[in-house]
Amino acid sequence: MRTSIKKSSSRLLFTGAVLAAIVAPVFVVGQQSKPWEKVPVPALHEFKPHQPTRIQLKNGIVVFLQEDHELPFVSGSIFIPGGERDVEPAKAGLVDMYGEAWRTSGTEKMSGDAMDDFLEAKAAKIETAGDIDSTQLSWESLKGDSDQVFALAMDLLFHPKFSEEKLQLAQQQAAAGIARRNDDESAIAERESAKLVFGPNSPYTRQPEFATIGAVTVADMQAWHDRSLKGKLIVALSGDFDTAAMEAKVRATFEQLPTVVPAPPRHDEFKSSSPGVYFINKDDVNQSNVQIVGMGTERNNPDVPALAMMNEILGGGFASRLFQKVRTEQGLAYAVGGGLGFEYDHPGEFRVEVMTKSPSTVDATKSALNEIKGLTSQAFTDVELKRAKDGILTSFLFRYDTREKVLSERVMLEFYGYPADYLETYRTALEKVTLPDLKRVADKYIEPGKLAILVVGNESEIKPGLDALGMGAVHPIDITIKQPKPPSGTPGGAAQ
Amino acid sequence: MQNRGYIRFFRNIAVATATVVFAALPVATLRAQDLKSFEQKITTKVLPNGLTLIICTRPDAPVFSYNTFIDAGDVNDPSGESGLAHMFEHLAFKGTTEIGTTDYAAEKVALAKVEEANQAYEAENLKQVGKDPKKLEELHKAFLEAQAEAHKYVVPNQFTEVAERNGAHGLNAETGLDETQYFWSMPENRLELWAWLESERLSDTVPREFYKERDVVLEERRMRTDSNPIGRLVEQFLATAYVAHNYGRSSVGWSSEVSQLSATEAMAFHKKYYAAGNIVISVVGDVDPKTAMPILEKYFSKVPAGPKPEDMTTVEPRQFAEKSLVIREQTQPFYIEGYHRPSYLDPDDAVFDAIQDIMSNGRVSRLYRSLVEQQQIAAEAEGFSPFPGAKYPNLFAFYAVPLPGHTPAQMREAIHKEIDKLKSADVTDTELQMFKTRTRAQLLHGLANNQGLANALSEYQTRYGDWRELFLQLAKVDKVTKADIRRVANRIFVESNRTSAEIETQAPAANAGKAEAGKNGGAE
């Protein structure tokens, strides 16, 4: 099992070789014989997703056990509240490095390197990771090794020994990430456009610098670990075990912990984004990456089902307006799509993106903007709504077609404090979305005047230039990397 | 697998650039009873037209996944038509004579006129001498008008719309050098509908909206290759490593060639390579072969039979001179090198897997321990194979991502030291055993996923003529010895068999002219 707290939930992007996106449904298809409609579709085999057993310990820790005997593996994860957004700005990057060094350092009893040898010989894994709002410890092994691997994972959870050497290694990796962050056009576009939405110093967008990663110490990591372990842990196990036996084992390990300390509420400010046109020059590309961004919303907003339907119509698949127009009809892009995003515990982003050859930057941007504006000016049709509903509802099954997905979803809902039957109520709400709902949410959330447009591309080839968008001054963004040189620990830094 | 955090500078991009499906496949075996249990779940049938069907029953949830595997990819693109297999793959989403059109009879006439107009335009456009700009403009206008006329009959994206409305999940396709694959998952009660859609598009493709889609594919090239430093590097690296075989040719296609591909050429490719005998289709999920096989048989029998396409005659000649190339640009430094090795059918195939595992798999691997952990000169270092394809003799490649302040030359030297160790001393018993254990576990993991299993069954059926080879490969893995590794390392990893490529970082000012190379035409 590799559950993780998913950060983004709207179906925003595209897939690999063939992308998904609409059309103004201009064509009246009257004469088609539509033989596919004559193909019988029998009733679906009865199916009840296999829910994990949920156990709440007296101290507040929650345990999920998902028994599954298909393969001889046992895996587990522990989700720990608190992530990069909770780090002080001067130490940005701490949680990523913590996620790395926690595992590579190892424990009092067994160093990280020794752990590597021990686990790999058994084709087993123990890993740690840091995220924006959580950190995780996870493990996996063949059934026969599962007691040993569980014991080792618990040793790492309760007795880590953060090492100076492994922190340094993590710092070097982080430094490489910083030094290379302007090499890839799409990485720049995504990062810098998020700053236009949330602000450059927001806990959701600030980035590590050489100085901030260099400021992190072993003591910081230990302090982070001690603090976050007091939170409400969620323990999830799945695989080839007996639930009663596993429950006893997990209780024996976690019941002794003190009562959990709830995470303090966050008081993030989400101002509206910085509207306007922004530009970053990159002279080694022949394609512009255009991001049209603004503020999204939270998943618990009752408008989300209607917004999800609107997203499907705007940029959700091959039949979506953006795909049909910008890709299929105009041939201006391979990658185009987007929608209004929602996160579990803070607003997501509105994001539409299109990648197009330099000379068609203005055309493609205008075209995508038109489709966004069209959400409020071009009436949604029955055909569009029906199509979006069919697509979303028929494929809804794939949210819980494996025990692993069911477990993963339950963990996520528990982590963010959503009801366990969220998927069912969400599905019911999706079924009920009407055309007036669509119009209402489009009018409420689509504000083209508040959107920021960021273009990353090759200025010398972008003709006509971005001023042809007719949206006012083009603001250049400086992405020069601050260079107080890599952390002092980096060997060879001065050898050149 | 290798959960080393956010530092993954290379692998994903290389895979996207060259689609190395084989590299990701576990080559392993299981105990006999595992194969036996699968033999009970799997039904195969070769239809009279030559198409092979595989059904694997996994009734955990009311869904299924499928994989259609065409034994042809961009390696088969005719000379001057690079990118054609991929272009056809895009066309396969455009519908048939029944889906995607309001009036096929009229559309057919209009499409024929588009082809005529395109030919007339290209004939003038390609003239080396005596090209008439005015005539060219007129021909171009006529070409656009013909397209507009044909477009009148199009119901855009109807094929995919029907699939999506019926719950298609993960709908996609992938063109590699060796093969083309189509796949998605659906609720099980749509099995017959899927069989209708898939058999229609395989046998009754209509080349509509080809020229718009060509623009889309050119954008795909700009995204993956031209505007991506690693994409550019990999394309140049492969073009340098190969002198004769098509593995050295851009798999998405050179811009000049893609921009002149025609629908006629795409349909000729289809006729030749999408013959039923060249296709394997696997379905995995809540499907009962007793009722499902007759349905599949009914629909897929209409895929036209045809002669097996001739085998490729070109064999990459033995490399006898070391080659290297340097890209100087603003991008951060990078190093990659490759050595020619035989195809996946070589008796030593599993030995290459062993070398890859021991050199690259996880924090215990030799390259990680040496370059990342001990010397602390690289953020990432791995060896991988086969690349860029598996079907024909290919490369065993190594790459390293230097930490700030370190150079490609240091990466090269450090990699060579590790290769020399492999040649001069046996690997340890622990390393060899680790490879065998992990390979088995990796195969087991893959069995719990409908889509992954469908992909693997199609691939092994195609490549070995029997899906059982997915399990039987274990015997070969178990037979790999320390002496084999040394022998193969000494045979393959030699200077004269090496091609290397690096990015040397250059300050912006010295960079003039660089942008030109990335553009269409730079490589002509």
Side-chain angles (χ1 to χ4, degrees):
Chain A
M1 185 198 65
R2 286 193 187 83
T3 46
S4 69
I5 303 294
K6 293 214 178 68
K7 285 185 292 184
S8 184
S9 23
S10 72
R11 292 172 53 196
L12 220 67
L13 291 187
F14 1 72
T15 47
V18 177
L19 247 237
I22 203 197
V23 155
V26 184
F27 299 91
V28 181
V29 187
Q31 321 79 318
Q32 272 191 303
S33 61
K34 300 193 174 179
W36 58 92
E37 290 184 349
K38 298 178 190 92
V39 177
V41 176
L44 195 69
H45 294 169
E46 206 166 309
F47 176 59
K48 215 169 163 358
H50 191 274
Q51 292 294 336
T53 303
R54 179 184 184 277
I55 302 156
Q56 176 138 24
L57 306 184
K58 282 198 193 96
N59 54 16
I61 289 173
V62 172
V63 180
F64 289 101
L65 302 175
Q66 182 75 303
E67 203 173 312
D68 182 354
H69 300 287
E70 185 178 18
L71 293 173
F73 291 106
V74 175
S75 61
S77 297
I78 295 174
F79 296 85
I80 305 161
E84 185 64 34
R85 68 181 178 185
D86 303 300
V87 169
E88 57 175 302
K91 303 207 178 208
L94 186 154
V95 164
D96 260 344
M97 294 191 293
Y98 163 82
E100 189 81 11
W102 180 8
R103 166 63 179 79
T104 54
S105 293
T107 73
E108 298 277 356
K109 283 186 207 151
M110 190 186 276
S111 75
D113 290 355
M115 208 180 276
D116 293 335
D117 289 329
F118 175 82
L119 293 169
E120 293 289 350
K122 299 177 182 308
K125 297 267 168 222
I126 296 178
E127 292 297 338
T128 56
D131 220 325
I132 186 77
D133 55 13
S134 67
T135 57
Q136 301 110 40
L137 166 69
S138 58
W139 64 94
E140 178 175 74
S141 72
L142 285 159
K143 181 186 184 176
D145 301 319
S146 63
D147 284 343
Q148 257 185 316
V149 172
F150 179 82
L152 191 52
M154 292 309 106
D155 190 34
L156 188 61
L157 181 68
F158 296 120
H159 310 289
K161 187 173 190 263
F162 293 97
S163 95
E164 192 70 54
E165 187 194 334
K166 298 302 183 187
L167 167 60
Q168 190 182 308
L169 203 57
Q171 282 169 324
Q172 288 165 1
Q173 300 268 321
I178 294 168
R180 289 174 185 272
R181 74 183 173 207
N182 289 343
D183 281 3
D184 179 39
E185 186 182 23
S186 49
I188 298 169
E190 198 181 316
R191 181 184 80 220
E192 297 300 325
S193 61
K195 290 184 196 166
L196 294 173
V197 179
F198 296 123
N201 300 315
S202 155
Y204 296 91
T205 61
R206 68 177 162 232
Q207 59 197 24
E209 300 292 350
F210 291 125
T212 68
I213 60 169
V216 173
T217 65
V218 162
D220 290 332
M221 291 202 287
Q222 185 67 53
W224 175 272
H225 187 80
D226 294 343
R227 181 165 66 109
S228 57
L229 238 56
K230 291 177 183 154
K232 179 186 163 184
L233 309 186
I234 299 174
V235 182
L237 282 120
S238 73
D240 195 2
F241 55 72
D242 171 70
T243 298
M246 187 58 86
E247 178 179 344
K249 188 162 143 177
V250 173
R251 278 188 185 277
T253 308
F254 290 95
E255 248 171 2
Q256 56 191 343
L257 297 183
T259 301
V260 302
V261 180
R266 297 192 55 85
H267 300 287
D268 296 318
E269 247 187 85
F270 293 95
K271 295 173 297 190
S272 61
S273 47
S274 316
V277 181
Y278 298 83
F279 180 68
I280 294 168
N281 188 36
K282 189 155 170 55
D283 64 13
D284 65 347
V285 302
N286 62 1
Q287 187 181 56
S288 294
N289 185 312
V290 183
Q291 303 284 328
I292 305 173
V293 294
M295 195 61 74
T297 188
E298 284 190 43
R299 183 170 269 277
N300 56 15
N301 178 338
D303 289 335
V304 158
L307 286 167
M309 218 53 87
M310 181 193 79
N311 286 342
E312 185 75 5
I313 292 169
L314 174 67
F318 282 81
S320 69
R321 291 183 180 187
L322 280 168
F323 194 98
Q324 290 272 37
K325 187 73 182 180
V326 182
R327 177 164 158 163
T328 305
E329 191 184 320
Q330 299 178 317
L332 285 174
Y334 170 74
V336 58
L340 189 133
F342 17 90
E343 299 285 352
Y344 281 87
D345 68 351
H346 68 276
E349 299 161 1
F350 176 88
R351 181 185 293 275
V352 163
E353 65 181 350
V354 51
M355 290 167 225
T356 191
K357 60 186 178 297
S358 309
S360 54
T361 305
V362 168
D363 284 348
T365 306
K366 279 184 175 171
S367 184
L369 272 172
N370 270 340
E371 296 307 323
I372 295 168
K373 290 175 186 160
L375 292 173
T376 53
S377 61
Q378 188 186 332
F380 296 102
T381 65
D382 281 322
V383 174
E384 284 181 309
L385 179 58
K386 177 80 168 63
R387 180 164 54 209
K389 270 195 191 178
D390 283 353
I392 291 179
L393 294 171
T394 318
S395 63
F396 208 76
L397 188 52
F398 290 101
R399 294 184 178 221
Y400 46 76
D401 63 317
T402 67
R403 292 185 185 204
E404 185 180 318
K405 285 187 200 170
V406 175
L407 177 61
S408 189
E409 177 76 17
R410 286 293 299 277
V411 166
M412 197 149 59
L413 297 173
E414 182 77 38
F415 186 87
Y416 293 110
Y418 280 62
D421 64 351
Y422 172 80
L423 268 191
E424 287 160 52
T425 50
Y426 181 51
R427 193 197 153 104
T428 308
L430 286 167
E431 283 167 358
K432 288 184 184 149
V433 173
T434 63
L435 282 178
D437 291 335
L438 281 176
K439 181 171 165 37
R440 184 178 56 75
V441 297
D443 288 343
K444 183 168 167 188
Y445 295 93
I446 301 302
E447 297 177 281
K450 288 192 178 169
L451 296 174
I453 299 167
L454 171 66
V455 176
V456 184
N458 189 340
E459 187 165 26
S460 65
E461 295 182 353
I462 299 177
K463 285 170 185 154
L466 298 180
D467 45 351
L469 287 170
M471 299 177 68
V474 177
H475 310 285
I477 297 180
D478 181 9
I479 56 167
T480 309
I481 297 164
K482 288 180 208 150
Q483 294 282 357
K485 72 178 188 273
S488 54
T490 307
Q496 298 308 303
Chain B
M1 197 68 191
Q2 293 166 27
N3 191 4
R4 292 215 302 274
Y6 43 90
I7 311 280
R8 299 298 294 164
F9 297 111
F10 176 69
R11 233 7 213 298
N12 298 336
I13 295 162
V15 169
T17 309
T19 338
V20 261
V21 178
F22 236 72
L25 259 194
V27 181
T29 72
L30 280 179
R31 294 162 309 202
Q33 65 264 36
D34 295 306
L35 174 55
K36 213 173 270 174
S37 78
F38 266 84
E39 284 183 319
Q40 284 161 8
K41 295 181 212 166
I42 291 180
T43 310
T44 61
K45 180 152 199 170
V46 180
L47 303 181
N49 59 8
L51 189 143
T52 303
L53 294 168
I54 303 177
I55 295 177
C56 175
T57 306
R58 250 191 107 239
D60 301 19
V63 294
F64 73 92
S65 303
Y66 87 92
N67 172 289
T68 294
F69 197 99
I70 318 292
D71 188 9
D74 284 308
V75 80
N76 304 105
D77 298 338
S79 177
E81 298 172 23
S82 58
L84 188 60
H86 178 225
M87 196 59 229
F88 179 82
E89 175 232 290
H90 277 242
L91 211 52
F93 287 85
K94 294 289 186 185
T96 69
T97 58
E98 296 199 297
I99 190 161
T101 183
T102 54
D103 179 354
Y104 180 64
E107 187 186 14
K108 191 178 175 188
V109 175
L111 285 171
K113 287 182 181 157
V114 172
E115 288 310 285
E116 276 172 38
N118 178 53
Q119 275 171 25
Y121 168 74
E122 289 295 353
E124 186 66 24
N125 189 34
L126 288 173
K127 274 186 188 169
Q128 295 262 26
V129 178
K131 184 164 23 179
D132 177 351
K134 194 163 166 253
K135 189 177 172 197
L136 192 66
E137 201 188 314
E138 279 164 16
L139 289 169
H140 191 248
K141 196 166 155 255
F143 176 45
L144 292 177
E145 281 166 5
Q147 287 182 65
E149 178 59 27
H151 187 71
K152 286 181 186 163
Y153 306 102
V154 176
V155 186
N157 296 324
Q158 190 169 37
F159 178 86
T160 42
E161 184 198 323
V162 172
E164 286 179 336
R165 286 178 88 144
N166 282 283
H169 174 77
L171 179 154
N172 218 326
E174 201 170 82
T175 309
L177 283 157
D178 295 342
E179 67 269 316
T180 309
Q181 303 178 77
Y182 300 87
F183 46 88
W184 71 61
S185 304
M186 259 185 170
E188 52 80 22
N189 59 346
R190 263 72 175 187
L191 184 77
E192 185 166 355
L193 182 83
W194 159 74
W196 184 84
L197 284 166
E198 189 72 0
S199 61
E200 283 288 306
R201 78 141 144 207
L202 289 174
S203 58
D204 191 28
T205 323
V206 173
R208 60 174 60 96
E209 299 179 296
F210 180 88
Y211 299 95
K212 276 277 150 52
E213 199 62 26
R214 201 174 63 180
D215 292 340
V216 170
V217 168
L218 284 164
E219 291 293 358
E220 187 177 354
R221 184 193 152 84
R222 291 183 191 102
M223 179 177 91
R224 294 190 196 285
T225 307
D226 297 334
S227 298
N228 184 305
I230 304 297
R232 293 192 292 261
L233 178 77
V234 168
E235 188 172 85
Q236 291 301 312
F237 170 64
L238 291 172
T240 306
Y242 284 89
V243 297
H245 192 269
N246 283 349
Y247 275 174
R249 190 174 60 180
S250 167
S251 58
V252 67
W254 303 114
S255 296
S256 63
E257 297 185 357
V258 175
S259 63
Q260 288 172 61
L261 292 175
S262 72
T264 305
E265 289 162 347
M267 293 311 287
F269 187 91
H270 172 254
K271 189 169 188 329
K272 182 171 176 183
Y273 290 106
Y274 281 60
N278 221 24
I279 302 176
V280 173
I281 299 175
S282 301
V283 176
V284 179
D286 188 8
V287 176
D288 178 359
K290 280 195 205 72
T291 50
M293 194 58 95
I295 294 175
L296 268 56
E297 197 170 346
K298 172 182 152 195
Y299 288 99
F300 289 104
S301 288
K302 67 185 165 198
V303 176
K308 183 85 185 159
E310 79 276 13
D311 286 322
M312 188 167 295
T313 51
T314 308
V315 177
E316 179 68 13
R318 197 177 67 84
Q319 183 175 345
F320 57 88
E322 181 173 1
K323 296 184 271 190
S324 64
L325 76 109
V326 181
I327 296 181
R328 294 188 180 85
E329 58 181 26
Q330 287 179 56
T331 311
Q332 291 295 303
F334 191 91
Y335 181 77
I336 185 170
E337 66 177 32
Y339 302 84
H340 290 278
R341 55 153 281 188
S343 84
Y344 76 105
L345 287 172
D346 188 84
D348 284 326
D349 192 47
V351 182
F352 289 106
D353 292 330
I355 294 174
Q356 167 167 327
D357 187 82
I358 290 165
M359 292 295 264
S360 319
N361 195 346
R363 295 191 197 94
V364 294
S365 69
R366 290 185 170 198
L367 289 171
Y368 181 85
R369 286 230 155 133
S370 169
L371 275 73
V372 178
E373 217 172 42
Q374 285 155 16
Q375 298 180 64
Q376 308 193 358
I377 56 176
E380 212 177 281
E382 284 185 20
F384 62 104
S385 160
F387 184 72
K391 193 173 167 184
Y392 301 101
N394 53 78
L395 301 177
F396 197 111
F398 296 90
Y399 75 92
V401 179
L403 283 178
H406 294 277
T407 63
Q410 288 174 290
M411 303 300 111
R412 177 183 169 96
E413 193 188 336
I415 288 170
H416 291 174
K417 267 189 194 153
E418 286 306 316
I419 291 175
D420 286 344
K421 278 186 207 159
L422 212 54
K423 290 159 79 170
S424 59
D426 282 345
V427 301
T428 65
D429 291 323
T430 313
E431 284 176 313
L432 190 59
Q433 191 49 49
M434 215 181 257
F435 156 63
K436 293 175 182 179
T437 307
R438 298 200 288 200
T439 307
R440 176 174 171 268
Q442 208 179 330
L443 172 57
L444 273 174
H445 273 298
L447 301 180
N449 174 296
N450 286 347
Q451 188 67 68
L453 192 51
N455 299 349
L457 291 172
S458 283
E459 179 163 18
Y460 276 83
Q461 182 69 34
T462 305
R463 293 289 166 244
Y464 296 94
D466 187 353
W467 61 264
R468 286 172 189 80
E469 196 66 27
L470 174 60
F471 297 86
L472 297 174
Q473 290 272 318
L474 168 63
K476 292 176 194 162
V477 167
D478 274 342
K479 281 191 192 114
V480 174
T481 65
K482 293 190 265 186
D484 285 333
I485 292 174
R486 253 175 101 165
R487 173 178 54 80
V488 167
N490 276 291
R491 180 161 63 96
I492 300 297
F493 302 136
V494 295
E495 284 179 347
S496 58
N497 189 30
R498 177 162 64 216
T499 303
S500 65
E502 65 181 69
I503 297 175
E504 194 180 286
T505 311
Q506 204 161 56
N511 205 34
K514 154 86 259 321
E516 288 304 308
K519 281 198 296 197
N520 180 8
E524 288 159 31

